[in-house]
Amino acid sequence: MYEFHGWITIQVTASKAEQEQLEAIIPKIQLKITEYAWGSGLLSLNTACGCYYLHVGGFTKGKGQEADEIMSLYRYIGEIAPGSYGLLYSRDDENQEGADNEFRVLVLARGQLKEQRDPFLSPCIPVIENALS
């Protein structure tokens, strides 16, 4: 199973002073989202107090198309709105590289994506789950 939970605060620059440019970028992000035909999970672009933010989350049977699309969307937002920042927590219990017992954290800051190990919920066994008996 593949589990993912994430968010992005969308900003054109780190100065937050580019509201007119942001209004031109948001339709591009909305268009990109419409390209994805998700059958499950959360993918929403919202606004509150004049700020835009994206939420993603869900579970899929395996790491597949939705995982690729999320990564693509995070990269895309980092490219067109490099002041954006956010996190994506994911867990792939079928990971073949020894990371099946941990969450990975994708960090978006200043247009760059970096993957890091999760220090809070990992290793999943024993931090959040019991070992199978």
Side-chain angles (χ1 to χ4, degrees):
M1 183 179 318
Y2 181 72
E3 176 180 0
F4 59 98
H5 308 280
W7 58 271
I8 300 174
T9 297
I10 301 169
Q11 299 181 161
V12 177
T13 67
S15 71
K16 297 173 69 172
E18 313 293 339
Q19 190 65 23
E20 289 179 13
Q21 289 179 330
L22 183 61
E23 296 297 331
I25 288 172
I26 293 302
K28 294 177 183 179
I29 296 170
Q30 290 170 323
L31 181 62
K32 187 76 167 169
I33 289 171
T34 63
E35 295 174 6
Y36 305 140
W38 285 23
S40 63
L42 168 70
L43 175 56
S44 66
L45 180 63
N46 307 287
T47 183
C49 301
C51 298
Y52 288 91
Y53 60 97
L54 178 89
H55 275 152
V56 298
F59 294 84
T60 58
K61 189 169 179 116
K63 186 176 181 181
Q65 181 176 345
E66 284 150 335
D68 294 339
E69 290 173 346
I70 293 166
M71 292 291 290
S72 175
L73 184 58
Y74 269 64
R75 280 190 202 97
Y76 181 71
I77 291 172
E79 290 170 9
I80 67 169
S84 301
Y85 57 90
L87 301 172
L88 176 66
Y89 273 73
S90 64
R91 178 182 179 194
D92 180 5
D93 68 0
E94 297 174 2
N95 183 290
Q96 301 299 313
E97 299 167 10
D100 59 328
N101 189 36
E102 65 186 27
F103 278 90
R104 301 300 291 176
V105 184
L106 187 67
V107 179
L108 173 64
R110 298 190 178 266
Q112 301 294 313
L113 283 175
K114 296 179 182 172
E115 187 173 302
Q116 298 183 4
R117 297 185 78 179
D118 162 57
F120 304 109
L121 299 174
S122 301
C124 298
I125 300 171
V127 174
I128 60 173
E129 296 174 345
N130 292 331
L132 295 175
S133 300

